[in-house]
Amino acid sequence: TLKEMRTNPNLVLVDARTKKWFEYRIIPGAINMPFNYFKEKVEHEFEYEFALKYLGAVKDKDGDYNFDNVKTMVIFCNGPWCSQSPDMIFALMQAGYPAEHLKWYRGGMQDWLSAGMTTTRN
């Protein structure tokens, strides 16, 4: 999947962790969309709308979103014990984001580091 992300613009690796975690250590190629932007969308209205627009959702004149042409996300957080990516996935599904476009990298950063994979820091 990571190789496919290099050539497929409709596939994106999303770090659901809060900005503080993202700034500490990053999986190369991941973009940060903190879970709370979706879970607390009223408090983060601008970030929520910006993220959905980036992902290909289109807002109609009534304020409803069309998710017909959205990107597929591979979402991760700190590890299997962390609830940030499941919270994000649940909030996206409640908003109408199609489940088939949501993939969960359950092991997250913990498994990534345990496997000795490359990370970078901001």
Side-chain angles (χ1 to χ4, degrees), residues 82-110:
C82 183
S83 66
Q84 294 178 48
S85 47
D87 285 350
M88 180 177 173
I89 291 167
F90 184 71
L92 283 163
M93 289 177 66
Q94 280 189 318
Y97 210 94
E100 63 270 15
H101 290 283
L102 297 169
K103 310 295 181 199
W104 182 23
Y105 175 37
R106 187 179 312 238
M109 187 59 81
Q110 179 180 339

Side-chain angles (χ1 to χ4, degrees), residues 1-2 5 11-18 27 29-36 38 51-52 55 70-80 82-93 97-109 112:
T1 304
L2 289 177
M5 285 182 196
L11 196 56
V12 62
L13 181 62
V14 175
D15 187 333
R17 300 174 305 155
T18 58
I27 293 176
I31 60 169
N32 188 222
M33 290 187 184
F35 80 101
N36 55 319
F38 302 89
L52 288 183
L55 293 166
V70 292
K71 297 179 183 192
T72 296
M73 292 186 276
V74 178
I75 303 168
F76 72 94
C77 54
N78 285 310
C82 183
S83 66
Q84 294 178 48
S85 47
D87 285 350
M88 180 177 173
I89 291 167
F90 184 71
L92 283 163
M93 289 177 66
Y97 210 94
E100 63 270 15
H101 290 283
L102 297 169
K103 310 295 181 199
W104 182 23
Y105 175 37
R106 187 179 312 238
M109 187 59 81
W112 187 266

Side-chain angles (χ1 to χ4, degrees), residues 19-59:
K19 198 164 218 46
K20 180 180 172 184
W21 282 107
F22 181 76
E23 290 172 351
Y24 175 68
R25 181 170 278 149
I26 307 162
I27 293 176
I31 60 169
N32 188 222
M33 290 187 184
F35 80 101
N36 55 319
Y37 290 179
F38 302 89
K39 187 175 178 183
E40 301 157 1
K41 65 183 178 183
V42 173
E43 295 89 340
H44 299 282
E45 182 180 2
F46 175 80
E47 294 88 350
Y48 175 77
E49 290 185 3
F50 184 82
L52 288 183
K53 184 177 180 180
Y54 173 83
L55 293 166
V58 178
K59 193 174 188 180

